[in-house]
């Protein structure tokens, strides 16, 4: 492992991207509740002290966003589009620095962080285009003297709460469509990773987004911010990415003011390998799907089901490939797996391994920290996984790959669907009738067929059951920030 301290500013070509105050109504302000520390999970050192906004300051930011929203909605679609495109260009021009900031506060390897910056920026680019395509419709009147038109208008002030695992992309996946639709936007980033969000604000200001249209509200206490967002009448939209448990809290809190809500929540993705799969492709896909962000994504494979005839071969191939992966500081060249975000995250992986081995599973790779420092944990594979084990129903959110054995298609579909979650699912097979049958039978918002990577701005990302409400990305994603108005005219 490298150093134990991070001089983040010295690592940046443009140190002005390292902002630590809140960005409200076009101004940089201090927190009434002082500051909170942001640490580098790979080294444990403090990267920065960031403004800690009070609930009163959140309310003031909402007032400013409410005033700004009317003027922003009055701009033409083309004007909004041009400003969003300019923001996109600036994000991509600063991809290296934004990636370094992201790696420093979240831990993922720099190459992966830069990939997230491009992925996140793609939502700003996509919705800069979609801004000009918010179409209405005319409907043949129900009476001779009636003319019916339907228009779409921005919902108003949108407030977002986002997690630490994708500190840039989870914000832009919401802010892009919101701003394109004519909403104003309040971003409350996770307390572990506010620096990426604040860097986006620096570039939003440079792009010329008007004051109050895009605001970043770092705070130590998330529950207070959530309450203000949910209870404040001026907020008309809550958009959240994070655990199902917190999603439930926000939905309950938002019910009193009947807010429009989008929820991207927890997952428990099955990854199924049939005996007619291309086994090498399936191993590659399983690694991409399981170990992206060190297993800390809501669409990571949480359960890997392998048909009996290829189980042993798959397990050996997977073990050989994963054993060659490099665990290390994300700022260090060659690292493929960074640290987990917190000690709690490490403990959850440990607990799932202990539970599984106590119930008969066998660790064939990794399994304990060994000499790894801090919140690093080695990639781990267990065989003999069964539905009685905790990771069959709980999301591990870490580098643990449990291999379940199955005999036939109906059996594995039943096991894959036996969960309260329904976000992403994956399977490898080549028989066409099997592909159609399984893709249609899986109860998930997303199905990856012969691929372990499904994330793109052009497709509707979201879950069914208790994995969420609504979709992000694609033409569907902008509907979350629009209201439909029907005009009935008597002529
Ligand atoms: N569907 C998806 O895309 C994602 C799902 N998840 C799920 O979340 C879990 C792990 O991520 P984690 O970040 O711990 O998830 P959390 O749901 O705990 O946190 C997500 C965000 O919500 C905030 N938050 C926490 N409690 C409250 C509250 N009472 N009111 C308002 N905001 C609150 C957090 O702030 P703070 O951190 O400052 O407390 C953070 O910004 C896993 O189960 C994972 O599956 C995570 C990421 C993405
Ligand atoms: O929060 C997450 O895990 C992301 O939604 C996953 S992805 O969109 O980056 O694939």
């Amino acid at each position: 492992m490298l150093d134990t301290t991070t001089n983040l500013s010295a690592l940046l070509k443009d140190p002005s991207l390292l902002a630590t105050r809140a960005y409200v109504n076009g101004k940089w302000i201090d927190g009434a509740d002082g500051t909170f520390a942001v640490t580098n999970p790979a080294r444990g050192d403090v990267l920065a002290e960031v403004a800690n906004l009070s609930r009163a300051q959140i309310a003031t930011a909402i007032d400013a966003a409410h005033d700004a929203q009317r003027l922003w909605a009055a701009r033409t679609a083309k004007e909004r589009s041009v400003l969003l495109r300019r923001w996109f260009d600036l994000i991509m021009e600063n991809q290296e620095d934004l990636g370094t900031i992201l790696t420093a506060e979240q831990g993922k390897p720099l190459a992966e962080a830069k990939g997230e910056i491009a992925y996140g920026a793609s939502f700003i680019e996509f919705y800069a285009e979609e801004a000009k395509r918010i179409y209405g419709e005319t409907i043949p009147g129900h009476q001779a003297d009636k003319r019916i038109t339907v228009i779409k208008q921005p919902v108003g002030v949108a407030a977002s709460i986002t997690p630490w695992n994708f500190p840039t992309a989870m914000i832009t996946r919401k802010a892009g469509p919101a701003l394109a639709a004519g909403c104003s936007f309040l971003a409350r980033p996770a307390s572990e990773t506010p620096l990426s969000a604040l860097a986006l604000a620096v570039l939003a200001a440079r792009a010329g987004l008007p004051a109050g249209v895009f605001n970043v509200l770092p705070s130590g206490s998330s529950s207070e911010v959530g309450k203000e967002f949910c209870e404040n009448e001026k907020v008309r939209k809550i958009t959240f990415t994070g655990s199902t448990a917190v999603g439930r809290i926000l939905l309950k809190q938002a019910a009193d003011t009947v807010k429009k809500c989008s929820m991207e929540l927890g997952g428990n993705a099955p990854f199924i390998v049939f005996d007619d799969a291309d086994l090498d492709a399936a191993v590659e896909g399983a690694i991409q799907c399981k170990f992206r962000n060190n297993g800390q994504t809501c669409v990571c494979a949480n359960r890997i089901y392998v048909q009996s005839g290829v189980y042993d071969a798959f397990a050996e191939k997977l073990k050989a490939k994963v054993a060659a992966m490099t665990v290390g500081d994300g700022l260090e060249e060659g690292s493929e797996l960074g640290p987990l975000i917190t000690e709690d995250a490490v403990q959850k992986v440990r607990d799932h391994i202990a539970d599984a081995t106590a119930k008969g599973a066998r660790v064939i790779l990794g399994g304990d920290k060994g000499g790894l420092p801090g919140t690093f944990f080695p990639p781990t594979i267990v065989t003999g996984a069964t539905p009685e084990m905790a990771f069959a129903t709980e999301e591990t959110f870490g580098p643990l790959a449990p291999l379940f054995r199955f005999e036939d298609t109906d059996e594995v579909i039943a096991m894959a669907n036996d969960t309260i979650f329904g976000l992403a699912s994956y399977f490898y097979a080549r028989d066409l009738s099997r592909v159609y049958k399984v893709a249609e039978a899986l109860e998930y918002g997303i199905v990856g067929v012969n691929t372990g990577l499904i994330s793109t701005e052009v497709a509707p990302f979201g879950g069914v059951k208790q994995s969420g409400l609504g979709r992000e990305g694609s033409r569907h994603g902008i509907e979350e920030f629009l209201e439909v108005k029907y005009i009935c005219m008597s002529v």
Side-chain angles (χ1 to χ4, degrees):
M1 299 307 152
L2 267 182
D3 315 312
T4 54
T5 58
T6 321
N7 181 350
L8 184 49
S9 188
L11 296 176
L12 303 179
K13 298 189 189 79
D14 179 359
S16 71
L17 288 170
L18 183 55
T20 58
R21 304 170 79 191
Y23 184 66
V24 177
N25 200 20
K27 298 184 182 66
W28 295 97
I29 66 168
D30 293 323
D33 290 354
T35 64
F36 62 92
V38 180
T39 60
N40 177 344
R43 303 177 189 180
D45 63 315
V46 174
L47 296 167
E49 289 287 341
V50 170
N52 185 0
L53 293 191
S54 65
R55 180 166 178 172
Q57 288 180 298
I58 301 294
T60 303
I62 292 168
D63 291 343
H66 184 259
D67 295 342
Q69 190 270 327
R70 294 171 192 286
L71 298 173
W72 179 241
R75 297 280 190 103
T76 66
K78 180 71 176 286
E79 287 171 327
R80 287 195 292 274
S81 174
V82 164
L83 287 169
L84 285 172
R85 176 70 207 198
R86 201 176 299 159
W87 192 18
F88 163 76
D89 291 337
L90 286 170
I91 292 170
M92 290 311 293
E93 284 165 25
N94 292 278
Q95 186 182 11
E96 185 80 23
D97 275 355
L98 296 175
T100 300
I101 292 170
L102 199 158
T103 292
E105 66 176 356
Q106 196 272 342
K108 68 180 70 172
L110 185 56
E112 205 171 325
K114 286 163 62 179
E116 180 185 336
I117 299 300
Y119 172 55
S122 73
F123 290 98
I124 304 300
E125 179 190 40
F126 184 86
Y127 288 105
E129 297 152 3
E130 287 299 290
K132 296 178 283 186
R133 294 174 182 78
I134 301 175
Y135 301 134
E137 60 186 318
T138 58
I139 298 171
H142 54 298
Q143 293 169 356
D145 66 338
K146 296 294 185 298
R147 300 296 180 269
I148 295 175
T149 54
V150 176
I151 62 173
K152 292 184 179 175
Q153 293 179 308
V155 69
V157 174
S160 85
I161 296 175
T162 48
W164 48 265
N165 61 341
F166 289 86
T168 294
M170 291 307 97
I171 292 174
T172 54
R173 191 161 80 177
K174 301 168 189 312
L179 298 184
C183 297
S184 53
F185 195 82
L186 301 149
R188 193 285 176 172
S191 51
E192 295 92 345
T193 56
L195 300 176
S196 297
L198 291 166
L200 285 175
V202 171
L203 296 176
R206 279 186 205 162
L209 284 176
V213 167
F214 180 74
N215 306 275
V216 178
L217 317 174
S219 77
S221 160
S222 48
S223 56
E224 282 305 294
V225 174
K227 284 182 188 136
E228 186 58 36
F229 281 175
C230 291
E231 294 167 10
N232 192 310
E233 291 274 5
K234 290 180 177 177
V235 172
R236 294 310 310 143
K237 170 78 183 184
I238 299 287
T239 175
F240 173 69
T241 293
S243 65
T244 295
V246 174
R248 291 185 188 117
I249 292 171
L250 294 172
L251 284 170
K252 286 173 186 163
Q253 290 176 172
D256 289 344
T257 51
V258 193
K259 286 186 178 39
K260 200 177 170 85
C261 288
S262 295
M263 295 280 147
E264 291 295 343
L265 306 178
N268 179 9
F271 185 103
I272 306 167
V273 182
F274 287 96
D275 54 16
D276 68 328
D278 174 334
L279 221 45
D280 291 323
V283 167
E284 200 50 48
I287 290 171
Q288 290 171 338
C289 183
K290 175 69 252 185
F291 295 104
R292 176 168 166 252
N293 200 10
N294 212 359
Q296 300 173 114
T297 94
C298 57
V299 293
C300 282
N302 201 62
R303 301 166 284 161
I304 301 177
Y305 296 97
V306 186
Q307 200 156 17
S308 266
V310 295
Y311 187 92
D312 295 340
F314 179 86
E316 280 316 304
K317 285 174 177 282
L318 183 67
K319 176 183 173 181
K321 287 268 188 183
V322 174
M325 296 182 82
T326 307
V327 177
D329 186 324
L331 291 173
E332 184 181 342
E333 189 67 36
S335 295
E336 294 171 287
L337 299 170
L340 295 183
I341 191 71
T342 59
E343 286 292 351
D344 286 350
V346 173
Q347 193 52 49
K348 188 172 186 185
V349 176
R350 281 197 169 119
D351 291 346
H352 278 186
I353 294 169
D355 168 79
T357 50
K359 294 172 183 171
R362 187 164 73 88
V363 176
I364 64 169
L365 183 71
D368 61 47
K369 275 175 68 73
L372 289 172
T375 61
F376 288 94
F377 197 88
T380 296
I381 302 172
V382 301
T383 56
T386 66
E388 292 70 35
M389 296 170 186
F391 45 47
T393 52
E394 293 171 17
E395 194 174 32
T396 304
F397 229 62
L400 170 58
L403 305 188
F404 297 71
R405 182 190 294 267
F406 74 93
E407 301 302 332
D408 63 52
T409 302
D410 290 339
E411 174 201 4
V412 74
I413 288 171
M415 288 197 288
N417 286 337
D418 183 18
T419 170
I420 64 169
F421 296 106
L423 187 55
S425 57
Y426 311 83
F427 68 93
Y428 277 70
R430 285 186 276 203
D431 176 274
L432 206 51
S433 60
R434 171 183 273 171
V435 166
Y436 265 94
K437 172 180 179 176
V438 176
E440 290 171 356
L442 288 171
E443 296 165 359
Y444 291 83
I446 304 166
V447 181
V449 182
N450 296 325
T451 180
L453 293 176
I454 42 80
S455 308
T456 169
E457 77 282 7
V458 303
F461 182 106
V464 299
K465 296 165 58 176
Q466 298 189 39
S467 281
L469 299 167
R471 292 296 181 270
E472 295 185 326
S474 81
R475 64 182 179 81
H476 299 281
I478 204 165
E479 300 298 331
E480 305 289 339
F481 296 95
L482 292 168
E483 293 289 9
V484 173
K485 177 182 282 179
Y486 142 54
I487 301 168
C488 183
M489 203 179 307
S490 184
V491 294

